Amino acid sequence: MAWTYLSIAAVFEVAFALSTNASRGFTRLWPSVVAVTTTIVSVYFLSLSLKTLDVGVGYTIWTGLGSLGTVTLGAILYKEHITTPKAISFMAIIGGVVGLKLTAGA
């Protein structure tokens, strides 16, 4: 169940990042409300996952998946450019997340 909680936390982490951008420095009400709410939900589910997972593994995967989701959706929604060096770096994050998942029980 910890991995399910961590996945939910990562989805809300992405929502937090995107809504923070949309809030324009917390000057727009509804994106700001969404940012605060998604932060609370994300950290709550992260905390549930950390009941079972090591904090180093859980937190790193949470931030890694959040980063990847934010970059992907940032490119789609905000037309942010993904350069070759960025793509290579993102692939390294994916490799790290997969490696942590595979060795979490070790």
Side-chain angles (χ1 to χ4, degrees), residues 2 6 9 15 18 20 22 24 35 37-38 45 59-60 64 68 76-77 102:
L6 190 57
L18 296 174
T20 299
R24 310 225 181 187
T37 302
T38 55
F45 279 100
Y59 181 79
T60 302
L68 292 169
I76 294 167
L77 299 174
L102 294 174

Side-chain angles (χ1 to χ4, degrees), residues 7-22:
S7 298
I8 293 167
V11 168
F12 280 95
E13 174 72 3
V14 173
F16 152 73
L18 296 174
S19 59
T20 299
N21 184 55

Side-chain angles (χ1 to χ4, degrees), residues 39-51:
T39 299
I40 292 167
V41 174
S42 182
V43 172
Y44 172 73
F45 279 100
L46 173 64
S47 72
L48 292 179
S49 74
L50 295 180
K51 287 182 177 181

